Amino acid sequence: CLLLFGFAGALRRSELVGLQVEDVRVERTQVVLTIREAAAAQPVGLPLSSDSAMCPAAAFAAWQQVAHRQTGPLFRAISKGERVGGRALTPYAVTRILQRRALMAEVPPATVARLSAHALRAGFIVEALRHGMDAAALGQRTRYRDPRALRPYVELLAHD
């Protein structure tokens, strides 16, 4: 759920670990996350998928069965005894989880060592550009105030 929300929502790691259970609303066609930035709250829609392994609603339901929480931090640490803690994950924990999952997927260790939580957001942006999404719409979707912030991703694709 953490990795799927992070990628599908193009979330910053601070946005991901800042999510509260009550910030997630499952609707008929999407999961809506309320991202709280400063004084404003911004909704981010994650489309549902018929593939349950890639469906934000299914991932959220599965996580809720483990976490058993109706309020408070959405993503919490799990102890070695498989108990879900009460405090939110740290931003660095997202990187550790992503790296551990990448190793489980047999991604080469040299590549895993370069992964960070930003890879979820960057991956979404690169894939959206690769599939022809308009940069202005992408900037709005990813909550960039300045569309010039997408230039490094565009340049990355140009050298791809």
Side-chain angles (χ1 to χ4, degrees):
C1 186
L2 173 84
L3 300 179
L4 184 58
F5 277 22
F7 179 82
L11 301 181
R12 295 172 177 92
R13 65 187 189 160
S14 61
E15 294 169 340
L16 196 52
V17 299
L19 283 171
Q20 302 291 303
V21 175
E22 51 271 30
D23 293 336
V24 181
R25 189 175 72 247
V26 178
E27 296 183 349
R28 191 174 54 79
T29 60
Q30 66 181 346
V31 172
V32 179
L33 307 177
T34 301
I35 305 299
R36 301 180 191 286
E37 291 183 10
Q42 189 170 5
V44 172
L46 311 178
L48 302 185
S49 172
S50 58
D51 178 357
S52 64
M54 300 301 292
C55 182
F60 177 66
W63 172 242
Q64 283 298 85
Q65 287 205 327
V66 172
H68 302 292
R69 300 293 170 110
Q70 300 302 313
T71 62
L74 177 60
F75 298 116
R76 307 157 192 255
I78 300 174
S79 71
K80 290 184 186 203
E82 298 190 14
R83 290 194 51 207
V84 178
R87 295 193 336 225
L89 290 176
T90 66
Y92 181 68
V94 178
T95 296
R96 290 193 325 265
I97 291 166
L98 176 61
Q99 289 175 338
R100 190 169 49 246
R101 290 297 181 168
L103 286 171
M104 290 169 68
E106 299 181 1
V107 173
T111 301
V112 171
R114 294 191 315 265
L115 284 177
S116 72
H118 184 67
L120 299 170
R121 182 173 172 80
F124 177 91
I125 292 168
V126 168
E127 284 303 304
L129 289 169
R130 187 173 280 139
H131 286 90
M133 186 172 193
D134 174 67
L138 181 58
Q140 186 175 17
R141 166 89 167 116
T142 56
R143 298 160 314 283
Y144 274 115
R145 289 182 183 88
D146 186 347
R148 293 176 293 187
L150 294 174
R151 268 193 210 138
Y153 303 104
V154 173
E155 291 170 8
L156 179 70
L157 277 177
H159 300 344
D160 199 17

